[in-house]
């Protein structure tokens, strides 16, 4: 039995250069977005800042990534403009990472990461948009692969940074002795800061100098990432590919209509939305709400599972607990690799139903066996596998329902970025006020909410399809086209 049928393979062979471009850019995106966490303490030394001050860099990057996601649709009117935008954004990120070692104040570093975050957000939206345009009803397979590559980049990123991180304090005090923070304390701080500052109140007791002689080699790590980020997109979006896109810029497969796939703010233009049925808006809102929660769960779990593990009742060792985050992201990456094939074999509604039910089941079991360190590792792995495919599957499913005429990609990408930022802040504040056990409770409750929203989404999409069938019933040709549309998935 063939892994892919000849039609999908023919589609890939037709668009393979563009597809590899988006995949390689997303690999670089994963490298860069995951690089701040491991290097944040060395950057604190470089900028002579406190822990409270350096966490603003996290917020700066995440907020402007959200802005970039919202604006990304403005830059993809044609395939040529999309490729040029990807090339420019990759160049901007490389330049920013090259000059980060020169930022000696936290405000300069925040501005630099804001610029990089803006470029990353644009890359996020454009890559998803263009893959949906290229493959449409077969896009689920290639979207799973796209998000697999961001996972690979996020896994490779700490490996690049690790040889250049300081084992002891990277600031010598005025008496020319290292401060009292041990290597184990610094490792604990790095793992805690993955949550983007949510656990600052619990780790601020560690003494860290802000004045003195800086001794860190983290500059080399940023320059290596800048070089990788420049070489990969440069080789994929090279002159020949851009020239080919220029020659095809007037052909229909790559041109946009005025109706769909614009920026988030264009999608909110009331003049463009008149005459749309209520189900059109509900599908956008419910699809965005589902990925808002699920991506928020991913960000929150990755950010706070370490804090939960080292707190009572588990009191896991710092080094052992530090593996949880890596295991979680590794399982997400493996899950997306597996769902490349599963998206071909099974329909998106079935995959989403199984995935969301799996997320709920795992989180309930984690709450039941909350005193078991072994089950925390098992549950972390299974949770990553279950939740890994929700965003790509939801995006492909929503676009298919709307016949690729709505703003689903822009709305869902923006909603996912918003959820990843806001839900972390909300859950982090709850953990600080209610204790570490509230972490699992928050994730479980939000998982139930996301599944209920998905069931409502299925109900609305059925009414939407029925309404479209009635609308086109008076036109035999449109009615026939509507009935003959192939459905994504094999069952």
């Amino acid at each position: 039995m063939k892994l892919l049928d000849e039609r999908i393979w023919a589609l890939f062979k037709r668009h393979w250069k563009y597809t590899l471009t988006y995949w390689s850019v997303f690999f670089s995106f994963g490298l860069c977005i995951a690089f701040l966490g491991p290097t944040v303490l060395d950057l604190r030394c470089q900028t002579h800042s406190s822990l409270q001050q350096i966490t603003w860099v996290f917020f700066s990057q995440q907020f402007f990534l959200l802005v970039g996601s919202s604006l990304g649709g403005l830059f993809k009117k044609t395939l040529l403009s999309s490729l040029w935008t990807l090339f420019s954004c990759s160049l901007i990120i490389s330049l920013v990472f090259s000059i980060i070692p020169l930022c000696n104040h936290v405000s300069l570093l925040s501005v630099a990461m804001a610029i990089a975050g803006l470029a990353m957000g644009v890359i996020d939206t454009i890559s998803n948009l263009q893959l949906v345009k290229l493959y449409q009803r077969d896009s689920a397979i290639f979207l799973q692969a796209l998000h697999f590559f961001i996972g690979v980049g996020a896994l490779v990123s700490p490996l690049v940074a690790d040889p250049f991180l300081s084992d002891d304090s990277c600031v010598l005090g005025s008496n020319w002795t290292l401060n009292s923070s041990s290597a184990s304390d610094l490792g604990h701080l790095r793992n805690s800061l993955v949550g983007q500052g949510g656990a600052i109140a619990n780790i601020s007791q560690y003494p860290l100098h802000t004045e003195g002689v800086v001794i860190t080699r983290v500059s080399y790590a940023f320059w290596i990432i800048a070089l990788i980020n420049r070489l990969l997109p440069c080789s994929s979006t090279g002159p020949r590919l851009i020239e080919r896109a220029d020659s095809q810029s007037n052909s229909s497969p790559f041109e946009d209509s005025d109706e769909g796939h614009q920026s988030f703010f264009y999608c909110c233009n009331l003049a463009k939305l008149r005459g749309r049925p209520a189900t059109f808006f509900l599908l956008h809102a419910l699809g965005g709400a589902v990925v808002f929660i699920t991506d928020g769960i991913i960000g929150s779990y990755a950010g706070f599972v370490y804090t939960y593990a080292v707190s009572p009742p588990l009191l896991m060792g710092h080094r052992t607990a530090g593996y949880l985050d890596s295991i979680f992201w590794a399982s997400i990456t493996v899950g997306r690799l597996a769902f490349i094939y599963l998206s071909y074999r099974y329909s998106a509604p079935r995959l989403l139903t199984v995935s969301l039910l799996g997320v709920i089941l795992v989180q309930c079991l984690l709450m039941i066996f909350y005193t078991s360190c072994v089950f925390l590792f098992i549950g972390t792995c299974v949770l990553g596998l279950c939740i890994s495919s929700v965003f790509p599957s939801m995006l492909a499913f929503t676009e298919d329902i709307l016949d690729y005429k709505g703003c689903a990609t822009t709305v869902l990408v923006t909603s996912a970025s918003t959820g990843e930022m806001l839900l972390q802040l909300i859950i982090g504040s709850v953990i600080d006020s209610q204790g570490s056990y509230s972490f699992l409770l928050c994730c479980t409750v939000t998982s139930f909410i996301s599944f209920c929203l998905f069931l409502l989404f299925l109900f609305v999409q059925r009414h939407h399809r029925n309404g479209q069938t009635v609308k086109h019933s008076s036109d035999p040709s449109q009615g026939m086209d509507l009935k003959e549309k192939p459905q994504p998935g094999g069952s």
Side-chain angles (χ1 to χ4, degrees), residues 372-487:
S372 172
C373 294
V374 174
F375 193 81
L376 180 60
F377 277 92
I378 297 172
T380 297
C381 184
V382 178
L383 177 63
L385 293 173
C386 291
I387 206 169
S388 61
S389 71
V390 174
F391 178 83
S393 298
M394 196 71 197
L395 175 56
F397 185 36
T398 308
E399 282 284 10
D400 179 66
I401 295 169
L402 297 172
D403 295 325
Y404 308 92
K405 295 178 181 178
C407 296
T409 299
T410 302
V411 170
L412 265 63
V413 170
T414 304
S415 299
S417 299
T418 306
E420 190 173 353
M421 181 176 69
L422 290 184
L423 213 56
Q424 277 193 77
L425 295 176
I426 294 171
I427 292 179
S429 63
V430 172
I431 292 173
D432 284 340
S433 61
Q434 303 298 324
S436 62
Y437 186 77
S438 61
F439 160 67
L440 289 180
L441 182 61
C442 288
C443 290
T444 304
V445 170
T446 53
S447 300
F448 272 105
I449 295 173
S450 67
F451 184 68
C452 292
L453 290 172
F454 177 66
L455 293 179
L456 184 58
F457 180 91
L458 292 178
F459 176 78
V460 172
Q461 70 92 19
R462 177 171 296 181
H463 281 268
H464 182 78
R465 288 193 187 276
N466 291 339
Q468 293 298 103
T469 303
V470 172
K471 179 180 178 181
H472 295 292
S473 61
S474 59
D475 189 333
S477 61
Q478 291 189 19
M480 185 176 298
D481 291 340
L482 190 65
K483 292 178 182 178
E484 292 179 354
K485 285 189 294 187
Q487 296 297 317

Side-chain angles (χ1 to χ4, degrees), residues 259-262 267 276 280 284 399 402-408:
E259 294 186 47
H261 298 121
Q262 301 293 335
C267 294
R276 300 286 190 180
F280 175 86
H284 281 88
E399 282 284 10
L402 297 172
D403 295 325
Y404 308 92
K405 295 178 181 178
C407 296

Side-chain angles (χ1 to χ4, degrees), residues 60 96-97 99-100 103 106-118:
S60 176
V96 168
F97 272 61
I99 66 173
I100 280 177
C103 298
V106 70
S107 60
L108 294 176
L109 183 61
S110 297
V111 171
M113 293 311 300
I115 296 172
L118 188 67

